[in-house]
Amino acid sequence: MISPVKRHEITLTVNGIEHQLSVASHKTLLELLRDQLGLTETKYGCGTGECGACTVLVEEPIQPGIKRLQPVLKRNAINSCLTLAVTMNSRSIITAAGLEQDGELHPVQQAFIDEAAIQCGYCTPGMVLKSVSLLEKNPNPSEAEIREGLEGNICRCTGYAKIVKAVQAASTSMVQYAGGEE
Amino acid sequence: MSSRILTEFDLLVPRDIPEALEILGSYREQVTTVAGGTDLLVAMKSGYRTPYAMSLAALPDLDYLSFHEKLGDENQGLRIGARTTVAQLLESEVVKECYPALWQAAKVFATSQIKNTATVVGNLLRGSPAGDCSCAVYALGGELLLASLGSERLVSVDDLWIAYGETACAANELALELRLPPPVKTSIFKRLTRTHEDLAKLNVAVNLTMDGDICRDVRLVMGCVGPTLMRLKKSEALLRNQRINDDVLTQVMECVREEITPIDDKRSTADYRRQVAGIFLKRAILQACEQA
């Protein structure tokens, strides 16, 4: 039988870079990202899964035998403060810093800037990631769907109006972008 | 106590079910089983602890939803694996079509981040009187498959919740699968909250078997009105083999107020819960009737 241990060796891919890590059993994914890897874009808010500041995206592995039309993996938003780091062994995650591609901001990031949907900025990384996963699953959300989708992300500055606007703007630009590529 | 820090514990990450059962058999009460962990980690951050924790993260093939449609098949119904998340329920057309109460509970369950991590079976085993998926499952009826070294047993959801936070799953047992009966289309789940993502002040699930406008069978479950989720058996008896009309519903509304045992807590008062329980249940029954 395996023995209980205080540390585990794991492999974790963060923003496309694979890390071999020795992680203490009781550390959360958030602590691993911030304290061990120094990736401070993922924020600590409440520690209890209510505010969404610690949101990261987890790429779901493609199941063998299932054909997918798009090469993009399914990406689920989770609270890194409620995830034991060790349980993320061999998974791949994306933080806010991993959204840009070839130096270009992700359309959601750009829309947050254009619409001034940022005040203090603390909720922004989580808010942007959750918006990305929302738009990947539902490219044309209604205002109600955006508000429902962002229920798990609390902002104490903006009153949400500009954030909702930014997600709507991102939705429009992403649909145009996808349309232009075909 | 700070909500920031998990104090040290040893973690076991078994790679298959026999290994997990061996761990539970050896460490019993000393080990806490973590599936999604969305509730447990919060509890652990505020002081709950055992020397060891065991994560189900590396157990293969437990994150399924499998539906057996064939009439008369002894396996007929829906099977939900131990690691199946609430988000998976929401994505399932079968759950939406055939088990509407469960789909509705998944829909209003916490936030999408939590839905992506929290497991359905974990919600049952938390033993909370406010559990949304648990409330719906109780009304739908079903069984939980519990395994221990060398044996397996099925526990009916009717016998699952013993006291607040306490279930029939023993310290050496691992819940492998939830089995729901054949489709229960006339079912509904509703809840009252201050804001949408809150825990419930009151929740209710109704499962009706109608024959024309006569109610042949019914399961009524209410949450947040006692130490465990509560089957409303006296109210059920008033409905069984009756035509559902205003008279019967008025009797049910009176009855449910007597049947429940709510308390004051930070989400609501006993008085308020007693006040709204009747009308809330009546609306749920009428809504379920519309589906029939």
Side-chain angles (χ1 to χ4, degrees), chain B residues 85-106:
Chain B
T85 62
V86 176
Q88 284 174 269
L89 292 182
L90 260 189
E91 287 165 8
S92 160
E93 283 301 313
V94 165
V95 175
K96 191 175 184 179
E97 275 291 305
C98 301
Y99 302 92
L102 184 55
W103 191 86
Q104 288 150 7

Side-chain angles (χ1 to χ4, degrees), chain A residues 2, chain B residues 13-23 54 56 58-60 62 174:
Chain A
I2 53 171
Chain B
V13 190
R15 306 221 153 248
D16 55 39
I17 291 166
E19 202 168 53
L21 297 181
E22 244 183 87
I23 290 164
M54 177 178 85
L56 306 186
L59 292 185
L62 281 178
L174 180 64

Side-chain angles (χ1 to χ4, degrees), chain B residues 245-275:
Chain B
N245 56 29
D246 282 350
D247 279 353
V248 174
L249 288 172
T250 306
Q251 287 174 43
V252 168
M253 284 172 68
E254 292 294 317
C255 179
V256 68
R257 282 188 196 117
E258 300 300 315
E259 215 173 350
I260 58 176
T261 56
I263 55 165
D264 292 344
D265 64 20
K266 61 183 161 190
R267 271 178 277 283
S268 204
T269 62
D271 274 353
Y272 178 78
R273 286 171 164 134
R274 231 182 264 283
Q275 186 90 33

Side-chain angles (χ1 to χ4, degrees), chain B residues 13-251:
Chain B
V13 190
R15 306 221 153 248
D16 55 39
I17 291 166
E19 202 168 53
L21 297 181
E22 244 183 87
I23 290 164
L24 290 172
S26 303
Y27 295 102
R28 291 174 170 263
E29 285 82 4
Q30 288 185 290
V31 63
T32 299
T33 304
V34 187
T38 52
D39 215 58
L40 206 49
L41 259 69
V42 176
M44 287 161 90
K45 285 180 179 190
S46 34
Y48 171 84
R49 65 169 306 160
T50 49
Y52 311 115
M54 177 178 85
S55 165
L56 306 186
L59 292 185
D61 307 328
L62 281 178
D63 53 354
Y64 57 85
L65 277 172
S66 73
F67 183 55
H68 302 265
E69 220 171 344
K70 216 172 121 200
L71 277 174
D73 180 348
E74 60 170 294
N75 295 325
Q76 198 195 0
L78 182 70
R79 301 197 167 190
I80 301 172
R83 288 184 48 220
T84 305
T85 62
V86 176
Q88 284 174 269
L89 292 182
L90 260 189
E91 287 165 8
S92 160
E93 283 301 313
V94 165
V95 175
K96 191 175 184 179
E97 275 291 305
C98 301
Y99 302 92
L102 184 55
W103 191 86
Q104 288 150 7
K107 176 91 177 140
V108 297
F109 187 96
T111 65
S112 57
Q113 284 95 324
I114 301 278
K115 286 189 234 251
N116 282 332
T117 311
T119 65
V120 185
V121 170
N123 189 256
L124 267 62
L125 292 177
R126 164 67 177 82
S128 162
D132 292 327
C133 289
S134 301
C135 182
V137 166
Y138 199 2
L140 295 170
E143 292 174 314
L144 197 61
L145 176 64
L146 301 176
S148 55
L149 273 178
S151 74
E152 279 188 354
R153 65 182 179 124
L154 284 167
V155 173
S156 159
V157 292
D158 289 339
D159 305 319
L160 184 61
W161 294 290
I162 294 165
Y164 177 82
E166 200 181 315
T167 71
C169 182
N172 65 331
E173 287 180 314
L174 180 64
L176 292 181
E177 179 179 89
L178 172 65
R179 297 180 179 178
L180 295 185
V184 190
K185 295 187 185 180
T186 316
S187 67
I188 192 123
F189 171 84
K190 284 168 83 73
R191 65 174 202 167
L192 267 179
T193 55
R194 194 176 63 82
T195 67
H196 192 244
E197 67 270 28
D198 269 353
L199 292 175
K201 289 170 186 278
L202 196 77
N203 56 16
V204 64
V206 172
N207 167 8
L208 284 178
T209 309
M210 298 295 287
D211 176 3
D213 58 351
I214 310 272
C215 165
R216 286 298 171 209
D217 202 6
V218 59
R219 289 170 70 94
L220 304 174
V221 176
M222 196 169 272
C224 317
V225 290
T228 63
L229 288 159
M230 196 178 258
R231 240 332 260 281
L232 306 170
K233 291 193 175 173
K234 288 181 188 160
S235 303
E236 288 175 6
L238 292 171
L239 287 169
R240 216 164 270 131
N241 295 316
Q242 298 296 319
R243 198 161 263 125
I244 295 180
N245 56 29
D246 282 350
D247 279 353
V248 174
L249 288 172
T250 306
Q251 287 174 43

Side-chain angles (χ1 to χ4, degrees), chain A residues 30-51:
Chain A
L30 177 63
E31 288 167 313
L32 169 68
L33 290 171
R34 292 183 61 87
D35 304 340
Q36 213 167 322
L37 293 174
L39 302 174
T40 52
E41 67 273 19
T42 309
K43 303 299 182 196
Y44 177 92
C46 66
T48 54
E50 286 165 47
C51 75

